[in-house]
């Protein structure tokens, strides 16, 4: 337990470094050492030593060096793949004001998944209190995919304008069809300026979550919340929403409430009936962006450096890439059986990813509750009435998710249609499209190891393979032990030979030998 008797071996150092890179907490790392050794008493160090090593050696980045390392990271990524994109806006003193970056894979993925974007900001990221913003899309499996990251000193209109223009340049000037944000006036103004043709939507979850705090001073606020929710979700036309909203205000005496008046003025950017004729890839909230931020927040604290942040962003990119690869593999090798004998269902089974086909199957199941009748038929079109026996289910338009709803399927069944037009089977959700971005690795920085660490890792890798082979029998294990004994004897002989002084001349000096030079003892 005495400090002079406690030490961390090279093997322990490398495990700590790798675990920190992977976002594993120091306490978990220490517990893994305890488990491997067979108890605390078998270790010649304590948990505090692990934490001290991380603080002093792994994360020891000064604020001056941090920005330089941040810039060097971008240059390394650009060197690895020229399609890596980054831009920095600096203050007069050369400190970072705004930063944006997107790796080559994200830029290629935008081609397929850049139609609808969720953008959200969070503060809890770094020691400089910079605002982190992430651009998130939806892939063909309905999974979140990262399409760029930013750090900003403030949330002013000009900052968002710089960021959105930078992001559009990165993505070849192509604007998305839809853009989801939280209820931020600065973002709204910046979007109107930078992407005038893009449909902007506020996160409805954020708005509905505010109801209790905004209206709790009114009598019967629980009934108010329930009625407002009913009006927002169950109005099936713009006119019916306007009527229902006015009735709601009159019934509860809320006509003078400014918050509700402002919401009504902006109804076209948050109420579903005003927006669901546009494509949203199934998104109505910014929770996808927030889930990305919760990933960062597991491993990043307010004391984290910029270089730690980009490393965790790399890890997040890698986890998203792996999730997509695994889903692609499952779709390629397995089939979800059809729930009905419908040839239309079989069409979607053949074309769609498993995740999207399950959504189609949910609509087929809902079709069982639908009763269809032909109301009238005129030249060129027919009008049907579909009555649903289950009244509590939420209605989705085809345009919003681009998946045929149970009411449309009920009409097709009523008319005995056996195949739907290809226009209703979208490439967006197809498992058969060869997408360019799947051949590009997400960006990941290689650890800048000193030569000794590199040599150590190479030796450990080879040793593990030899040990795995030798452990198959007692004879092979004995051979390996004899080889180890010979190596140890040679090592001791070399140490004895090296005792004393040594020299380094220009003829035999190289980068590796210079890296091993040590400072004279401090006086």
């Amino acid at each position: 337990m005495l400090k002079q008797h406690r030490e961390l071996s090279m093997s322990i150092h490398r495990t700590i470094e790798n675990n920190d890179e992977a976002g594993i907490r120091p306490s978990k790392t220490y517990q893994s050492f305890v488990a491997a050794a067979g108890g605390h008493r078998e270790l010649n160090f304590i948990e505090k030593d692990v934490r001290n090593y991380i603080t002093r050696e792994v994360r020891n980045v000064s604020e001056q060096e941090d920005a330089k390392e941040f810039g060097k990271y971008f240059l390394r990524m650009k060197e690895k793949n020229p399609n890596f994109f980054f831009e920095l806006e600096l203050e007069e003193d050369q400190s970072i004001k705004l930063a944006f970056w997107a790796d080559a894979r994200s830029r290629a993925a935008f081609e397929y998944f850049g139609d609808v974007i969720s953008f959200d900001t969070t503060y809890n990221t770094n020691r400089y209190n910079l605002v982190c913003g992430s651009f998130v899309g939806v892939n063909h499996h309905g999974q979140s995919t990262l399409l760029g990251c930013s750090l900003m000193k403030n949330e002013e209109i000009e900052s968002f304008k710089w960021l959105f223009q930078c992001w559009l340049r990165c993505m070849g000037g192509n604007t998305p069809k839809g853009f989801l944000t939280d209820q931020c006036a600065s973002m709204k103004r910046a979007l109107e300026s930078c992407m005038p043709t893009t449909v902007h939507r506020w996160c409805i979850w954020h708005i509905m979550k505010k109801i209790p705090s905004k209206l709790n001073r009114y009598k019967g606020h629980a009934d108010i919340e329930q009625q407002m929710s009913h009006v927002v979700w169950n109005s099936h036309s713009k006119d019916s929403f306007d009527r229902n909203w006015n009735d709601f205000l009159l019934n509860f005496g809320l006509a003078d409430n400014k918050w509700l008046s402002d919401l009504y003025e902006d109804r076209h950017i948050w109420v579903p009936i005003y927006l669901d004729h546009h494509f949203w890839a199934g998104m109505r909230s910014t929770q996808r962006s927030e889930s990305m931020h919760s990933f960062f927040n597991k491993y990043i604290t307010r004391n984290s450096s910029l270089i730690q942040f980009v490393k965790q962003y790399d890890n997040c990119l890698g986890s998203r890439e792996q999730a997509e690869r695994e889903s692609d593999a499952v779709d390629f090798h397995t089939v979800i059986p059809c729930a009905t004998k419908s040839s239309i269902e079989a069409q979607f089974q053949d074309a769609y990813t498993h995740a999207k086909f399950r959504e189609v199957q949910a609509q087929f199941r809902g079709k069982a509750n639908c009763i269809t009748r032909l109301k009238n038929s005129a030249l060129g079109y027919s009008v049907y009435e579909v009555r649903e026996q289950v009244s509590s289910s939420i209605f989705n338009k085809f345009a919003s998710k681009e998946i045929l709803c149970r009411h449309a399927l009920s009409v097709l069944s009523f008319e005995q249609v056996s195949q739907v037009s290809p226009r209703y089977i979208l490439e967006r959700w197809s498992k058969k499209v060869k997408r360019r971005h799947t051949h590009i690795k997400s960006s990941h920085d290689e650890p800048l190891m000193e030569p000794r660490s590199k040599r150590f890792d190479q030796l450990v890798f080879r040793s593990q393979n030899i040990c795995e082979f030798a452990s198959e029998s007692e004879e092979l294990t004995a051979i390996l032990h004899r080889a180890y004994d010979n190596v140890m004897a040679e090592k001791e002989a070399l140490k004895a030979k090296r005792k004393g002084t040594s020299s380094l001349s220009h003829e035999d000096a190289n980068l590796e030998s210079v890296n091993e030079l040590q400072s004279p003892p401090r006086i």
Side-chain angles (χ1 to χ4, degrees):
M1 298 296 253
L2 293 174
K3 195 172 183 181
Q4 59 267 39
H5 293 295
R6 302 200 312 259
E7 62 175 347
L8 303 177
S9 67
M10 189 76 190
S11 172
I12 298 296
H13 283 172
R14 295 298 298 126
T15 304
I16 293 171
E17 289 161 15
N18 290 334
N19 285 8
D20 189 67
E21 175 89 12
I24 297 168
R25 295 183 185 280
S27 58
K28 296 284 184 189
T29 296
Y30 180 69
Q31 286 304 319
S32 72
F33 293 140
V34 172
H40 290 81
R41 286 174 175 273
E42 306 305 316
L43 291 177
N44 59 345
F45 58 90
I46 59 175
E47 187 175 330
K48 189 179 178 183
D49 298 324
V50 174
R51 292 182 181 278
N52 286 346
Y53 181 72
I54 291 171
T55 307
R56 290 174 192 158
E57 305 296 330
V58 183
R59 297 182 185 173
N60 186 23
V61 183
S62 68
E63 291 184 12
Q64 290 76 24
E65 290 300 312
D66 194 16
K68 290 175 188 160
E69 289 302 321
F70 188 59
K72 286 177 189 174
Y73 161 83
F74 289 146
L75 294 174
R76 287 196 298 273
M77 293 300 98
K78 186 84 179 166
E79 198 176 315
K80 274 186 165 189
N81 191 320
N83 285 334
F84 185 92
F85 182 101
F86 73 94
E87 275 193 31
L88 300 174
E89 176 90 346
L90 306 177
E91 298 280 22
E92 286 182 9
D93 64 356
Q94 298 298 293
S95 65
I96 294 166
K97 181 182 177 184
L98 298 159
F100 169 79
W101 68 100
D103 74 329
R105 192 176 195 276
S106 296
R107 295 181 78 186
F110 179 84
E111 181 185 337
Y112 309 97
F113 312 130
D115 41 14
V116 182
I117 301 299
S118 168
F119 178 80
D120 189 62
T121 55
T122 183
Y123 275 96
N124 187 23
T125 49
N126 49 68
R127 62 176 72 150
Y128 315 102
N129 211 28
L130 294 174
V131 182
C132 164
S134 54
F135 295 85
V136 179
V138 178
N139 70 9
H140 50 306
H141 301 288
Q143 299 164 334
S144 299
T145 186
L146 285 158
L147 299 172
C149 190
S150 63
L151 290 169
M152 301 187 294
K153 208 168 183 179
N154 58 56
E155 292 186 274
E156 294 169 3
I157 295 169
E158 290 307 311
S159 295
F160 283 121
K161 276 186 182 178
W162 179 91
L163 175 60
F164 294 152
Q165 285 165 352
C166 186
W167 184 70
L168 287 173
R169 278 197 302 279
C170 171
M171 300 306 174
N174 299 309
T175 54
K177 293 177 186 173
F179 205 96
L180 273 120
T181 70
D182 60 13
Q183 201 177 350
C184 172
S186 299
M187 271 190 227
K188 183 172 180 279
R189 295 273 297 278
L191 273 170
E192 286 167 356
S193 170
C194 301
M195 304 180 213
T197 60
T198 296
V199 181
H200 181 201
R201 182 174 197 158
W202 276 345
C203 168
I204 192 167
W205 181 79
H206 271 118
I207 292 170
M208 301 307 279
K209 197 175 77 165
K210 289 178 185 175
I211 299 172
S213 62
K214 295 286 185 182
L215 305 176
N216 62 3
R217 62 190 175 89
Y218 290 93
K219 189 180 177 183
H221 59 84
D223 292 335
I224 293 174
E225 186 176 347
Q226 189 178 357
Q227 187 58 34
M228 181 175 165
S229 187
H230 178 77
V231 170
V232 168
W233 291 108
N234 294 321
S235 298
H236 295 309
S237 70
K238 293 176 186 177
D239 289 340
S240 71
F241 172 79
D242 291 345
R243 283 194 307 273
N244 294 340
W245 183 267
N246 287 325
D247 290 344
F248 157 68
L249 295 181
L250 290 171
N251 289 344
F252 291 100
L254 297 166
D256 297 329
N257 184 285
K258 188 176 186 310
W259 182 67
L260 291 173
S261 298
D262 290 345
L263 277 182
Y264 183 73
E265 285 298 309
D266 291 316
R267 61 194 180 281
H268 61 287
I269 59 174
W270 69 276
V271 177
I273 196 61
Y274 281 84
L275 292 154
D276 280 353
H277 54 288
H278 297 288
F279 177 64
W280 292 103
M283 284 200 284
R284 277 178 170 153
S285 82
T286 56
Q287 282 171 301
R288 286 177 181 272
S289 301
E290 288 168 37
S291 69
M292 293 296 108
H293 295 159
S294 69
F295 180 95
F296 300 144
N297 290 341
K298 283 179 192 171
Y299 312 115
I300 298 289
T301 69
R302 284 196 178 278
N303 294 318
S304 296
S305 61
L306 293 174
I307 200 67
Q308 278 175 270
F309 179 80
V310 289
K311 281 182 178 180
Q312 287 310 329
Y313 184 76
D314 278 357
N315 287 343
C316 198
L317 281 173
S319 73
R320 295 291 84 215
E321 179 189 355
Q322 183 63 13
E324 188 176 306
R325 288 175 65 235
E326 287 174 12
S327 296
D328 282 344
V330 169
D331 285 3
F332 186 75
H333 293 292
T334 63
V335 175
I336 295 177
C338 286
T340 68
K341 299 290 183 186
S342 166
S343 54
I344 294 176
E345 187 187 0
Q347 264 185 288
F348 286 105
Q349 179 200 42
D350 179 61
Y352 276 13
T353 61
H354 286 6
K356 286 293 149 185
F357 179 54
R358 285 192 186 97
E359 289 183 28
V360 172
Q361 284 193 314
Q363 296 303 320
F364 269 95
R365 285 194 296 275
K367 182 171 76 78
N369 298 316
C370 297
I371 299 164
T372 307
R373 71 182 181 92
L374 179 65
K375 284 191 78 174
N376 60 66
S377 189
L379 188 65
Y381 70 93
S382 301
V383 177
Y384 300 85
E385 181 182 82
V386 181
R387 286 187 177 275
E388 203 168 356
Q389 293 165 309
V390 181
S391 58
S392 63
S393 51
I394 295 170
F395 173 65
N396 284 318
K397 290 189 176 184
F398 173 77
S400 175
K401 294 179 81 172
E402 297 200 345
I403 283 177
L404 284 175
C405 66
R406 54 197 174 278
H407 312 100
L409 293 171
S410 186
V411 171
L412 293 172
S413 179
F414 179 81
E415 289 292 354
Q416 297 183 330
V417 174
S418 60
Q419 296 279 291
V420 295
S421 164
R423 64 181 290 189
Y424 296 113
I425 299 176
L426 306 173
E427 274 196 1
R428 181 67 173 77
W429 308 124
S430 174
K431 63 186 174 187
K432 297 185 171 183
V433 175
K434 298 293 181 191
R435 295 174 174 88
R436 191 168 60 91
H437 75 280
T438 58
H439 303 294
I440 304 169
K441 279 178 71 176
S442 59
S443 70
H444 199 277
D445 201 12
E446 298 299 326
L448 297 172
M449 291 190 292
E450 56 182 85
R452 187 183 177 193
S453 295
K454 280 186 179 177
R455 291 195 296 269
F456 177 81
D457 283 359
Q458 289 164 357
L459 289 167
V460 167
F461 180 74
R462 290 198 71 184
S463 299
Q464 283 174 338
N465 291 337
I466 293 167
C467 292
E468 188 177 335
F469 170 69
S471 63
E472 289 178 3
S473 71
E474 289 290 343
E475 291 81 5
L476 288 169
T477 302
I479 291 169
L480 187 57
H481 276 305
R482 286 197 296 275
Y484 279 147
D485 290 340
N486 290 336
V487 169
M488 291 303 289
E490 279 190 45
K491 187 197 83 166
E492 292 301 322
L494 190 63
K495 266 175 77 176
K497 190 177 171 185
R498 275 188 171 178
K499 271 188 176 174
T501 59
S502 60
S503 63
L504 187 67
S505 74
H506 69 92
E507 293 166 340
D508 56 4
N510 55 36
L511 182 63
E512 196 172 291
S513 58
V514 170
N515 272 332
E516 293 193 346
L517 289 173
Q518 303 292 318
S519 300
R522 186 172 176 175
I523 306 302

